[in-house]
Amino acid sequence: MLTAFARAFKTPDLRKKLLFTLGIVVIYRLGAHIPIPGVDYSNVQTCMDQASSNTGLFGLVNMFSGGALLQITVFALGIMPYITASIILQLLTVVIPRLEALKKEGQAGTAKITQYTRYLTVALAILQGTGLVATARTGALFQGCPVASQIVPDQSIFITITMVITMTAGTCVMMWLGELITDRGIGNGMSILMFISIAATFPSALWAIKQQGSLADGWIEFGTVILVGLVMVGLVVFVEQAQRRIPVQYAKRMIGRRSYGGTSTYIPLKVNQAGVIPVIFASSLLYIPALVAQFAGGDSSWKVWIDDHLTKGNHPIYIVTYFLLIVFFAFFYVAISFNPEEVADNMKKYGGFIPGIRAGRPTAEYLSYVLNRITWPGSLYLGLIALVPTMALVGFGANQNFPFGGTSILIIVGVGLETVKQIESQLQQRNYEGFLR
């Protein structure tokens, strides 16, 4: 693999793409440490030191921002507004006929949907930025910190608007940087930025586990977590690459004097067809009641129940609810993203058929049957992977920043595999030996 890296940097255009991507990553990480105007940075650091092992309700967004959310920097919102906007547009494409027609128009329709995604990203960034500023002003961003309410000393309207505009502009810059990587670098730009954001939190999380450990000054716990992480990565790679290949044959057709078709191919159905989307959906849905309870005044019975059962990640009700939501959203997302009837119609139109299955409706029913069967192990796998940090919290007393598990490991492995495949294809085009032999 090191030889392949050397050959990649020896190829002029590939080296240029890799260096360009690294340059954008450096700019992104610098922006994640530039505080916005109106924030007392010394108080932020004081609260960060006290809350290093507990990010509370904002843990998911803080992870996607590379730790920039709790530091209230220019890139505090991270790419969560863009991810949310992309998911919303993808769901609306199934519901709204106009968006579905745009999707079928090819490149022009995709460009239009991308433009809608950008507009929605800006609107969500304004909404989330306003919420973050309001949370920081009330001191709810760092619960238990004595100077939490002094993070934003000047609470005038002008300063508030300036903070929201700055964070919204930061999100727009991140979106632009991601598109630059996609056009002129290696890999999908937004995925690369997501990868960097999550990977940036690993060193501090691992060091916190070492400091909190008691066996051999924490080195045994540190080594155990590293070992568990390697096993987790191997498991995730194995399942993410697993697929059910349904054979498809195309009948021969004579058009003029030429013969077309007569080939055999397959439909690859991945075991984890939904990717990481069900975990994000389930996490976001569970944050809503906890967030409402956090801003609700008084000590009503429902607020106390939510605080006791849905806020603490180690409570049995939270664990069961989280797991069931992930399984539900896995089936839900697969149902809206893969249409067996459309696939069956396209196969019938071009003379394709599955051996032993009649074309048309029987093919659609067969595809639905296979998809449901492989979605069960995929959804259970997603639920178990997502609960690894919770199990570490319950069983080993590790902090909530346990890095190897849940959304982080799924995104890290998925983006890493895709990027390696793109570099591999670039090397193979130049008759060089790639990463995979």
Side-chain angles (χ1 to χ4, degrees):
M1 191 176 72
L2 294 178
T3 306
F5 269 118
R7 288 175 176 173
F9 276 96
K10 286 179 182 177
T11 309
D13 54 342
L14 189 55
R15 179 177 66 241
K16 188 183 297 184
K17 289 182 178 181
L18 289 171
L19 292 177
F20 181 82
T21 304
L22 291 174
I24 295 295
V25 167
V26 170
I27 295 174
Y28 167 62
R29 289 307 299 161
L30 286 175
H33 290 85
I34 300 175
I36 63 174
V39 174
D40 191 328
Y41 197 62
S42 61
N43 289 337
V44 171
Q45 289 303 308
T46 301
C47 292
M48 282 289 294
D49 293 338
Q50 295 183 7
S52 59
S53 63
N54 183 14
T55 54
L57 296 173
F58 307 95
L60 183 68
V61 184
N62 187 60
M63 181 187 70
F64 278 118
S65 67
L69 172 76
L70 295 181
Q71 298 183 37
I72 320 180
T73 62
V74 175
F75 291 163
L77 299 179
I79 53 177
M80 269 307 266
Y82 183 84
I83 296 172
T84 309
S86 300
I87 294 174
I88 290 174
L89 260 296
Q90 193 170 1
L91 296 175
L92 291 180
T93 302
V94 184
V95 180
I96 301 177
R98 167 63 179 162
L99 292 177
E100 189 175 1
L102 281 176
K103 186 179 179 182
K104 295 179 180 179
E105 288 181 5
Q107 189 173 358
T110 304
K112 198 72 175 176
I113 292 178
T114 303
Q115 195 68 18
Y116 292 155
T117 305
R118 292 170 184 161
Y119 295 148
L120 185 57
T121 300
V122 174
L124 290 175
I126 294 174
L127 184 64
Q128 293 182 15
T130 305
L132 177 59
V133 172
T135 306
R137 286 172 56 174
T138 58
L141 193 61
F142 295 99
Q143 293 182 344
C145 179
V147 294
S149 59
Q150 302 173 18
I151 289 177
V152 185
D154 188 352
Q155 300 189 1
S156 62
I157 296 295
F158 176 76
I159 290 296
T160 302
I161 294 176
T162 303
M163 293 172 69
V164 173
I165 291 176
T166 304
M167 285 189 286
T168 305
T171 300
C172 295
V173 170
M174 285 182 59
M175 190 164 49
W176 177 61
L177 293 177
E179 292 179 357
L180 281 179
I181 293 177
T182 303
D183 294 338
R184 301 173 58 183
I186 288 289
N188 181 282
M190 301 310 296
S191 298
I192 294 292
L193 294 183
M194 197 188 309
F195 178 95
I196 296 300
S197 298
I198 297 172
T201 62
F202 273 30
S204 59
L206 289 171
W207 191 247
I209 290 174
K210 189 265 175 190
Q211 288 183 323
Q212 293 177 3
S214 57
L215 302 175
D217 292 333
W219 286 110
I220 293 181
E221 288 91 340
F222 182 84
T224 303
V225 170
I226 294 291
L227 185 62
V228 170
L230 292 176
V231 173
M232 292 286 299
V233 169
L235 173 64
V236 172
V237 170
F238 178 77
V239 179
E240 290 295 320
Q241 298 288 79
Q243 56 183 225
R244 168 74 183 273
R245 296 180 175 181
I246 299 178
V248 178
Q249 292 183 353
Y250 286 91
K252 277 190 176 182
R253 293 182 300 167
M254 294 297 296
I255 301 178
R257 294 183 178 181
R258 293 188 177 183
S259 174
Y260 294 90
T263 58
S264 298
T265 181
Y266 60 85
I267 301 174
L269 295 180
K270 295 181 65 176
V271 172
N272 182 21
Q273 189 86 0
V276 74
I277 301 299
V279 182
I280 297 177
F281 276 7
S283 302
S284 303
L285 197 62
L286 274 179
Y287 283 154
I288 293 175
L291 201 60
V292 171
Q294 182 173 337
F295 288 104
D299 293 324
S300 56
S301 57
W302 65 271
K303 182 178 182 299
V304 173
W305 190 90
I306 290 177
D307 287 338
D308 291 340
H309 297 82
L310 295 181
T311 303
K312 298 175 181 178
N314 56 351
H315 196 280
I317 292 182
Y318 177 90
I319 294 173
V320 173
T321 306
Y322 189 36
F323 184 83
L324 293 178
L325 282 175
I326 290 174
V327 173
F328 168 76
F329 280 122
F331 279 92
F332 172 75
Y333 190 77
V334 168
I336 66 171
S337 62
F338 185 88
N339 189 350
E341 294 182 359
E342 184 179 349
V343 174
D345 289 342
N346 289 335
M347 288 171 54
K348 186 177 181 181
K349 186 185 300 182
Y350 294 104
F353 63 94
I354 300 173
I357 307 294
R358 294 183 62 184
R361 186 176 182 82
T363 299
E365 292 176 351
Y366 177 75
L367 289 175
S368 299
Y369 171 74
V370 174
L371 196 62
N372 285 333
R373 290 193 67 181
I374 66 173
T375 302
W376 270 113
S379 61
L380 296 177
Y381 144 82
L382 274 180
L384 292 175
I385 291 293
L387 288 176
V388 166
T390 303
M391 288 186 286
L393 180 67
V394 174
F396 303 103
N399 64 10
Q400 291 184 10
N401 287 336
F402 185 79
F404 299 109
T407 316
S408 58
I409 198 71
L410 292 169
I411 293 176
I412 287 277
V413 172
V415 176
L417 287 173
E418 280 300 317
T419 307
V420 166
K421 285 180 182 178
Q422 288 206 19
I423 300 176
E424 169 78 10
S425 64
Q426 297 269 351
L427 290 175
Q428 287 182 347
Q429 287 176 4
R430 294 159 181 81
N431 297 320
Y432 286 141
E433 196 173 277
F435 289 99
L436 308 175
R437 297 188 179 182

